[in-house]
PDB file of all heavy atoms in Angstrom:
ATOM      1  N   VAL A  10      -6.010 -17.525  -0.494  1.00 97.00           N
ATOM      2  CA  VAL A  10      -5.223 -16.579   0.313  1.00 97.00           C
ATOM      3  C   VAL A  10      -6.214 -15.806   1.184  1.00 97.00           C
ATOM      4  O   VAL A  10      -7.151 -15.123   0.688  1.00 97.00           O
ATOM      5  CB  VAL A  10      -4.448 -15.604  -0.573  1.00 97.00           C
ATOM      6  CG1 VAL A  10      -3.738 -14.484   0.248  1.00 97.00           C
ATOM      7  CG2 VAL A  10      -3.486 -16.333  -1.530  1.00 97.00           C
ATOM      8  N   SER A  11      -5.970 -15.810   2.509  1.00 93.00           N
ATOM      9  CA  SER A  11      -6.882 -15.083   3.354  1.00 93.00           C
ATOM     10  C   SER A  11      -6.477 -13.666   3.615  1.00 93.00           C
ATOM     11  O   SER A  11      -7.276 -12.813   3.976  1.00 93.00           O
ATOM     12  CB  SER A  11      -6.953 -15.792   4.730  1.00 93.00           C
ATOM     13  OG  SER A  11      -5.707 -15.831   5.377  1.00 93.00           O
ATOM     14  N   ASP A  12      -5.189 -13.357   3.340  1.00 94.00           N
ATOM     15  CA  ASP A  12      -4.669 -12.010   3.570  1.00 94.00           C
ATOM     16  C   ASP A  12      -3.755 -11.525   2.432  1.00 94.00           C
ATOM     17  O   ASP A  12      -2.546 -11.505   2.601  1.00 94.00           O
ATOM     18  CB  ASP A  12      -3.929 -12.028   4.882  1.00 94.00           C
ATOM     19  CG  ASP A  12      -3.413 -10.614   5.331  1.00 94.00           C
ATOM     20  OD1 ASP A  12      -3.979  -9.614   4.928  1.00 94.00           O
ATOM     21  OD2 ASP A  12      -2.451 -10.571   6.079  1.00 94.00           O
ATOM     22  N   PRO A  13      -4.338 -11.186   1.329  1.00 97.00           N
ATOM     23  CA  PRO A  13      -3.513 -10.722   0.189  1.00 97.00           C
ATOM     24  C   PRO A  13      -2.710  -9.449   0.602  1.00 97.00           C
ATOM     25  O   PRO A  13      -3.239  -8.649   1.349  1.00 97.00           O
ATOM     26  CB  PRO A  13      -4.464 -10.392  -0.931  1.00 97.00           C
ATOM     27  CG  PRO A  13      -5.719 -11.100  -0.594  1.00 97.00           C
ATOM     28  CD  PRO A  13      -5.731 -11.189   0.904  1.00 97.00           C
ATOM     29  N   ARG A  14      -1.461  -9.397   0.146  1.00 96.00           N
ATOM     30  CA  ARG A  14      -0.697  -8.141   0.502  1.00 96.00           C
ATOM     31  C   ARG A  14      -0.272  -7.422  -0.780  1.00 96.00           C
ATOM     32  O   ARG A  14      -0.134  -8.034  -1.851  1.00 96.00           O
ATOM     33  CB  ARG A  14       0.602  -8.579   1.268  1.00 96.00           C
ATOM     34  CG  ARG A  14       0.230  -8.979   2.723  1.00 96.00           C
ATOM     35  CD  ARG A  14       1.312  -9.537   3.462  1.00 96.00           C
ATOM     36  NE  ARG A  14       1.423 -10.967   3.068  1.00 96.00           N
ATOM     37  CZ  ARG A  14       2.445 -11.743   3.266  1.00 96.00           C
ATOM     38  NH1 ARG A  14       3.489 -11.302   3.862  1.00 96.00           N
ATOM     39  NH2 ARG A  14       2.457 -12.934   2.909  1.00 96.00           N
ATOM     40  N   ILE A  15      -0.030  -6.157  -0.607  1.00 97.00           N
ATOM     41  CA  ILE A  15       0.350  -5.260  -1.662  1.00 97.00           C
ATOM     42  C   ILE A  15       1.265  -4.211  -1.127  1.00 97.00           C
ATOM     43  O   ILE A  15       1.181  -3.853   0.071  1.00 97.00           O
ATOM     44  CB  ILE A  15      -0.914  -4.651  -2.436  1.00 97.00           C
ATOM     45  CG1 ILE A  15      -0.473  -4.148  -3.761  1.00 97.00           C
ATOM     46  CG2 ILE A  15      -1.581  -3.651  -1.477  1.00 97.00           C
ATOM     47  CD1 ILE A  15      -1.738  -3.956  -4.691  1.00 97.00           C
ATOM     48  N   SER A  16       2.170  -3.741  -1.925  1.00 94.00           N
ATOM     49  CA  SER A  16       3.129  -2.718  -1.449  1.00 94.00           C
ATOM     50  C   SER A  16       3.418  -1.682  -2.539  1.00 94.00           C
ATOM     51  O   SER A  16       3.042  -1.876  -3.756  1.00 94.00           O
ATOM     52  CB  SER A  16       4.422  -3.421  -1.029  1.00 94.00           C
ATOM     53  OG  SER A  16       5.032  -4.067  -2.131  1.00 94.00           O
ATOM     54  N   THR A  17       4.155  -0.652  -2.174  1.00 92.00           N
ATOM     55  CA  THR A  17       4.676   0.293  -3.112  1.00 92.00           C
ATOM     56  C   THR A  17       6.121   0.550  -2.738  1.00 92.00           C
ATOM     57  O   THR A  17       6.439   0.911  -1.643  1.00 92.00           O
ATOM     58  CB  THR A  17       3.849   1.573  -3.133  1.00 92.00           C
ATOM     59  OG1 THR A  17       4.463   2.512  -4.016  1.00 92.00           O
ATOM     60  CG2 THR A  17       3.678   2.251  -1.752  1.00 92.00           C
ATOM     61  N   GLY A  18       7.018   0.308  -3.661  1.00 89.00           N
ATOM     62  CA  GLY A  18       8.451   0.451  -3.366  1.00 89.00           C
ATOM     63  C   GLY A  18       9.181   1.129  -4.510  1.00 89.00           C
ATOM     64  O   GLY A  18      10.449   1.258  -4.493  1.00 89.00           O
ATOM     65  N   THR A  19       8.467   1.659  -5.494  1.00 91.00           N
ATOM     66  CA  THR A  19       9.079   2.244  -6.660  1.00 91.00           C
ATOM     67  C   THR A  19       9.467   3.678  -6.496  1.00 91.00           C
ATOM     68  O   THR A  19      10.196   4.209  -7.259  1.00 91.00           O
ATOM     69  CB  THR A  19       8.134   2.175  -7.849  1.00 91.00           C
ATOM     70  OG1 THR A  19       6.953   2.855  -7.633  1.00 91.00           O
ATOM     71  CG2 THR A  19       7.849   0.709  -8.303  1.00 91.00           C
ATOM     72  N   GLY A  20       8.841   4.335  -5.486  1.00 89.00           N
ATOM     73  CA  GLY A  20       9.042   5.796  -5.289  1.00 89.00           C
ATOM     74  C   GLY A  20       8.091   6.610  -6.157  1.00 89.00           C
ATOM     75  O   GLY A  20       8.277   7.827  -6.283  1.00 89.00           O
ATOM     76  N   ILE A  21       7.190   5.917  -6.907  1.00 91.00           N
ATOM     77  CA  ILE A  21       6.283   6.638  -7.784  1.00 91.00           C
ATOM     78  C   ILE A  21       4.973   6.970  -6.980  1.00 91.00           C
ATOM     79  O   ILE A  21       4.243   6.098  -6.598  1.00 91.00           O
ATOM     80  CB  ILE A  21       5.910   5.841  -9.030  1.00 91.00           C
ATOM     81  CG1 ILE A  21       7.141   5.514  -9.780  1.00 91.00           C
ATOM     82  CG2 ILE A  21       4.916   6.604  -9.902  1.00 91.00           C
ATOM     83  CD1 ILE A  21       6.878   4.538 -10.975  1.00 91.00           C
ATOM     84  N   GLU A  22       4.709   8.226  -6.720  1.00 90.00           N
ATOM     85  CA  GLU A  22       3.473   8.659  -5.974  1.00 90.00           C
ATOM     86  C   GLU A  22       3.195   7.829  -4.863  1.00 90.00           C
ATOM     87  O   GLU A  22       2.063   7.262  -4.655  1.00 90.00           O
ATOM     88  CB  GLU A  22       2.364   8.709  -6.960  1.00 90.00           C
ATOM     89  CG  GLU A  22       2.537   9.704  -8.094  1.00 90.00           C
ATOM     90  CD  GLU A  22       1.383   9.968  -8.983  1.00 90.00           C
ATOM     91  OE1 GLU A  22       0.244   9.897  -8.389  1.00 90.00           O
ATOM     92  OE2 GLU A  22       1.506  10.280 -10.153  1.00 90.00           O
ATOM     93  N   THR A  23       4.174   7.587  -3.989  1.00 91.00           N
ATOM     94  CA  THR A  23       4.091   6.653  -2.862  1.00 91.00           C
ATOM     95  C   THR A  23       2.925   7.013  -1.867  1.00 91.00           C
ATOM     96  O   THR A  23       2.115   6.118  -1.576  1.00 91.00           O
ATOM     97  CB  THR A  23       5.390   6.614  -2.005  1.00 91.00           C
ATOM     98  OG1 THR A  23       6.428   6.261  -2.947  1.00 91.00           O
ATOM     99  CG2 THR A  23       5.331   5.613  -0.899  1.00 91.00           C
ATOM    100  N   GLU A  24       2.721   8.256  -1.503  1.00 92.00           N
ATOM    101  CA  GLU A  24       1.652   8.585  -0.589  1.00 92.00           C
ATOM    102  C   GLU A  24       0.282   8.363  -1.203  1.00 92.00           C
ATOM    103  O   GLU A  24      -0.566   7.807  -0.586  1.00 92.00           O
ATOM    104  CB  GLU A  24       1.841  10.038  -0.085  1.00 92.00           C
ATOM    105  CG  GLU A  24       2.905  10.135   0.891  1.00 92.00           C
ATOM    106  CD  GLU A  24       2.944  11.599   1.472  1.00 92.00           C
ATOM    107  OE1 GLU A  24       1.823  12.209   1.674  1.00 92.00           O
ATOM    108  OE2 GLU A  24       4.010  12.100   1.735  1.00 92.00           O
ATOM    109  N   ARG A  25       0.197   8.785  -2.440  1.00 94.00           N
ATOM    110  CA  ARG A  25      -1.101   8.607  -3.121  1.00 94.00           C
ATOM    111  C   ARG A  25      -1.462   7.128  -3.314  1.00 94.00           C
ATOM    112  O   ARG A  25      -2.565   6.697  -3.077  1.00 94.00           O
ATOM    113  CB  ARG A  25      -1.011   9.258  -4.515  1.00 94.00           C
ATOM    114  CG  ARG A  25      -2.235   9.202  -5.296  1.00 94.00           C
ATOM    115  CD  ARG A  25      -2.092  10.032  -6.609  1.00 94.00           C
ATOM    116  NE  ARG A  25      -3.256   9.923  -7.433  1.00 94.00           N
ATOM    117  CZ  ARG A  25      -3.283  10.239  -8.728  1.00 94.00           C
ATOM    118  NH1 ARG A  25      -2.243  10.692  -9.336  1.00 94.00           N
ATOM    119  NH2 ARG A  25      -4.473  10.131  -9.387  1.00 94.00           N
ATOM    120  N   THR A  26      -0.452   6.337  -3.648  1.00 94.00           N
ATOM    121  CA  THR A  26      -0.696   4.900  -3.756  1.00 94.00           C
ATOM    122  C   THR A  26      -1.032   4.268  -2.447  1.00 94.00           C
ATOM    123  O   THR A  26      -1.962   3.462  -2.348  1.00 94.00           O
ATOM    124  CB  THR A  26       0.573   4.225  -4.348  1.00 94.00           C
ATOM    125  OG1 THR A  26       0.915   4.841  -5.595  1.00 94.00           O
ATOM    126  CG2 THR A  26       0.348   2.741  -4.601  1.00 94.00           C
ATOM    127  N   GLY A  27      -0.343   4.675  -1.360  1.00 94.00           N
ATOM    128  CA  GLY A  27      -0.710   4.150  -0.064  1.00 94.00           C
ATOM    129  C   GLY A  27      -2.133   4.478   0.322  1.00 94.00           C
ATOM    130  O   GLY A  27      -2.840   3.640   0.925  1.00 94.00           O
ATOM    131  N   LYS A  28      -2.524   5.665   0.063  1.00 95.00           N
ATOM    132  CA  LYS A  28      -3.894   6.115   0.350  1.00 95.00           C
ATOM    133  C   LYS A  28      -4.940   5.300  -0.435  1.00 95.00           C
ATOM    134  O   LYS A  28      -5.943   4.903   0.078  1.00 95.00           O
ATOM    135  CB  LYS A  28      -4.111   7.568   0.179  1.00 95.00           C
ATOM    136  CG  LYS A  28      -3.364   8.406   1.213  1.00 95.00           C
ATOM    137  CD  LYS A  28      -3.555   9.905   0.928  1.00 95.00           C
ATOM    138  CE  LYS A  28      -2.728  10.683   1.968  1.00 95.00           C
ATOM    139  NZ  LYS A  28      -2.708  12.106   1.750  1.00 95.00           N
ATOM    140  N   LEU A  29      -4.573   5.008  -1.671  1.00 96.00           N
ATOM    141  CA  LEU A  29      -5.462   4.178  -2.532  1.00 96.00           C
ATOM    142  C   LEU A  29      -5.627   2.759  -1.836  1.00 96.00           C
ATOM    143  O   LEU A  29      -6.706   2.241  -1.724  1.00 96.00           O
ATOM    144  CB  LEU A  29      -4.891   4.027  -3.897  1.00 96.00           C
ATOM    145  CG  LEU A  29      -5.646   3.034  -4.791  1.00 96.00           C
ATOM    146  CD1 LEU A  29      -7.081   3.473  -5.075  1.00 96.00           C
ATOM    147  CD2 LEU A  29      -4.838   2.793  -6.099  1.00 96.00           C
ATOM    148  N   PHE A  30      -4.459   2.146  -1.481  1.00 96.00           N
ATOM    149  CA  PHE A  30      -4.498   0.882  -0.892  1.00 96.00           C
ATOM    150  C   PHE A  30      -5.382   0.837   0.366  1.00 96.00           C
ATOM    151  O   PHE A  30      -6.170   0.000   0.635  1.00 96.00           O
ATOM    152  CB  PHE A  30      -3.088   0.318  -0.506  1.00 96.00           C
ATOM    153  CG  PHE A  30      -2.203   0.078  -1.729  1.00 96.00           C
ATOM    154  CD1 PHE A  30      -0.833   0.026  -1.575  1.00 96.00           C
ATOM    155  CD2 PHE A  30      -2.783  -0.088  -3.017  1.00 96.00           C
ATOM    156  CE1 PHE A  30      -0.053  -0.197  -2.716  1.00 96.00           C
ATOM    157  CE2 PHE A  30      -1.944  -0.409  -4.121  1.00 96.00           C
ATOM    158  CZ  PHE A  30      -0.521  -0.399  -3.925  1.00 96.00           C
ATOM    159  N   GLU A  31      -5.267   1.901   1.212  1.00 96.00           N
ATOM    160  CA  GLU A  31      -6.058   2.006   2.415  1.00 96.00           C
ATOM    161  C   GLU A  31      -7.564   2.110   2.030  1.00 96.00           C
ATOM    162  O   GLU A  31      -8.412   1.509   2.713  1.00 96.00           O
ATOM    163  CB  GLU A  31      -5.649   3.167   3.294  1.00 96.00           C
ATOM    164  CG  GLU A  31      -4.282   2.917   3.901  1.00 96.00           C
ATOM    165  CD  GLU A  31      -3.708   4.152   4.705  1.00 96.00           C
ATOM    166  OE1 GLU A  31      -4.235   5.273   4.473  1.00 96.00           O
ATOM    167  OE2 GLU A  31      -2.813   3.891   5.498  1.00 96.00           O
ATOM    168  N   ARG A  32      -7.888   2.908   1.039  1.00 96.00           N
ATOM    169  CA  ARG A  32      -9.264   3.038   0.630  1.00 96.00           C
ATOM    170  C   ARG A  32      -9.891   1.676   0.163  1.00 96.00           C
ATOM    171  O   ARG A  32     -11.088   1.461   0.265  1.00 96.00           O
ATOM    172  CB  ARG A  32      -9.450   4.073  -0.484  1.00 96.00           C
ATOM    173  CG  ARG A  32      -9.425   5.477   0.006  1.00 96.00           C
ATOM    174  CD  ARG A  32      -9.947   6.509  -1.036  1.00 96.00           C
ATOM    175  NE  ARG A  32      -9.362   6.331  -2.346  1.00 96.00           N
ATOM    176  CZ  ARG A  32      -8.303   6.915  -2.789  1.00 96.00           C
ATOM    177  NH1 ARG A  32      -7.573   7.624  -1.982  1.00 96.00           N
ATOM    178  NH2 ARG A  32      -7.870   6.691  -4.074  1.00 96.00           N
ATOM    179  N   LEU A  33      -8.964   0.811  -0.377  1.00 97.00           N
ATOM    180  CA  LEU A  33      -9.403  -0.492  -0.851  1.00 97.00           C
ATOM    181  C   LEU A  33      -9.338  -1.552   0.160  1.00 97.00           C
ATOM    182  O   LEU A  33      -9.487  -2.723  -0.145  1.00 97.00           O
ATOM    183  CB  LEU A  33      -8.490  -0.855  -2.118  1.00 97.00           C
ATOM    184  CG  LEU A  33      -8.691   0.065  -3.321  1.00 97.00           C
ATOM    185  CD1 LEU A  33      -7.777  -0.309  -4.436  1.00 97.00           C
ATOM    186  CD2 LEU A  33     -10.138   0.084  -3.779  1.00 97.00           C
ATOM    187  N   GLY A  34      -9.127  -1.100   1.430  1.00 96.00           N
ATOM    188  CA  GLY A  34      -9.174  -2.100   2.531  1.00 96.00           C
ATOM    189  C   GLY A  34      -7.894  -2.638   3.138  1.00 96.00           C
ATOM    190  O   GLY A  34      -7.919  -3.366   4.138  1.00 96.00           O
ATOM    191  N   PHE A  35      -6.781  -2.228   2.551  1.00 96.00           N
ATOM    192  CA  PHE A  35      -5.491  -2.733   3.088  1.00 96.00           C
ATOM    193  C   PHE A  35      -5.069  -1.789   4.287  1.00 96.00           C
ATOM    194  O   PHE A  35      -5.406  -0.648   4.379  1.00 96.00           O
ATOM    195  CB  PHE A  35      -4.437  -2.605   1.948  1.00 96.00           C
ATOM    196  CG  PHE A  35      -4.630  -3.597   0.903  1.00 96.00           C
ATOM    197  CD1 PHE A  35      -5.312  -3.286  -0.249  1.00 96.00           C
ATOM    198  CD2 PHE A  35      -4.068  -4.907   0.920  1.00 96.00           C
ATOM    199  CE1 PHE A  35      -5.487  -4.181  -1.241  1.00 96.00           C
ATOM    200  CE2 PHE A  35      -4.242  -5.778  -0.060  1.00 96.00           C
ATOM    201  CZ  PHE A  35      -4.921  -5.440  -1.194  1.00 96.00           C
ATOM    202  N   LYS A  36      -4.362  -2.432   5.169  1.00 95.00           N
ATOM    203  CA  LYS A  36      -3.784  -1.710   6.341  1.00 95.00           C
ATOM    204  C   LYS A  36      -2.302  -1.872   6.340  1.00 95.00           C
ATOM    205  O   LYS A  36      -1.784  -2.880   5.887  1.00 95.00           O
ATOM    206  CB  LYS A  36      -4.480  -2.324   7.583  1.00 95.00           C
ATOM    207  CG  LYS A  36      -5.941  -2.117   7.665  1.00 95.00           C
ATOM    208  CD  LYS A  36      -6.626  -2.858   8.850  1.00 95.00           C
ATOM    209  CE  LYS A  36      -8.100  -2.600   8.845  1.00 95.00           C
ATOM    210  NZ  LYS A  36      -8.821  -2.591   7.598  1.00 95.00           N
ATOM    211  N   GLY A  37      -1.652  -0.920   6.913  1.00 91.00           N
ATOM    212  CA  GLY A  37      -0.163  -0.990   7.002  1.00 91.00           C
ATOM    213  C   GLY A  37       0.199  -2.215   7.781  1.00 91.00           C
ATOM    214  O   GLY A  37      -0.324  -2.639   8.771  1.00 91.00           O
ATOM    215  N   ALA A  38       1.275  -2.855   7.307  1.00 91.00           N
ATOM    216  CA  ALA A  38       1.713  -4.109   7.855  1.00 91.00           C
ATOM    217  C   ALA A  38       3.279  -4.147   7.923  1.00 91.00           C
ATOM    218  O   ALA A  38       3.877  -5.213   7.598  1.00 91.00           O
ATOM    219  CB  ALA A  38       1.189  -5.313   7.088  1.00 91.00           C
ATOM    220  N   GLY A  39       3.877  -3.077   8.340  1.00 87.00           N
ATOM    221  CA  GLY A  39       5.353  -3.138   8.352  1.00 87.00           C
ATOM    222  C   GLY A  39       5.880  -1.919   7.535  1.00 87.00           C
ATOM    223  O   GLY A  39       5.155  -1.101   7.099  1.00 87.00           O
ATOM    224  N   LEU A  40       7.151  -1.913   7.369  1.00 84.00           N
ATOM    225  CA  LEU A  40       7.866  -0.909   6.594  1.00 84.00           C
ATOM    226  C   LEU A  40       8.911  -1.532   5.699  1.00 84.00           C
ATOM    227  O   LEU A  40       9.378  -2.619   6.016  1.00 84.00           O
ATOM    228  CB  LEU A  40       8.628   0.015   7.607  1.00 84.00           C
ATOM    229  CG  LEU A  40       7.805   0.770   8.613  1.00 84.00           C
ATOM    230  CD1 LEU A  40       8.685   1.407   9.633  1.00 84.00           C
ATOM    231  CD2 LEU A  40       6.915   1.784   7.896  1.00 84.00           C
ATOM    232  N   MET A  41       9.202  -0.874   4.619  1.00 83.00           N
ATOM    233  CA  MET A  41      10.219  -1.301   3.667  1.00 83.00           C
ATOM    234  C   MET A  41      11.408  -0.306   3.790  1.00 83.00           C
ATOM    235  O   MET A  41      11.212   0.874   3.853  1.00 83.00           O
ATOM    236  CB  MET A  41       9.677  -1.339   2.273  1.00 83.00           C
ATOM    237  CG  MET A  41      10.775  -1.722   1.248  1.00 83.00           C
ATOM    238  SD  MET A  41      10.173  -1.645  -0.448  1.00 83.00           S
ATOM    239  CE  MET A  41       9.218  -3.104  -0.530  1.00 83.00           C
ATOM    240  N   PHE A  42      12.648  -0.820   3.808  1.00 85.00           N
ATOM    241  CA  PHE A  42      13.782  -0.019   3.912  1.00 85.00           C
ATOM    242  C   PHE A  42      14.764  -0.358   2.754  1.00 85.00           C
ATOM    243  O   PHE A  42      14.733  -1.508   2.301  1.00 85.00           O
ATOM    244  CB  PHE A  42      14.517  -0.196   5.206  1.00 85.00           C
ATOM    245  CG  PHE A  42      13.739   0.249   6.395  1.00 85.00           C
ATOM    246  CD1 PHE A  42      12.816  -0.616   7.055  1.00 85.00           C
ATOM    247  CD2 PHE A  42      13.796   1.583   6.824  1.00 85.00           C
ATOM    248  CE1 PHE A  42      12.114  -0.184   8.126  1.00 85.00           C
ATOM    249  CE2 PHE A  42      13.070   1.984   7.889  1.00 85.00           C
ATOM    250  CZ  PHE A  42      12.211   1.148   8.541  1.00 85.00           C
TER     251      PHE A  42
END
């Protein structure tokens, strides 16, 4: 896999989790509704 993806959709500490993903090299790639 050249581009592993990860998301947060549980509503548990969403902002904190997103910041963690960014610190680990992930970049935003869309939105979940």
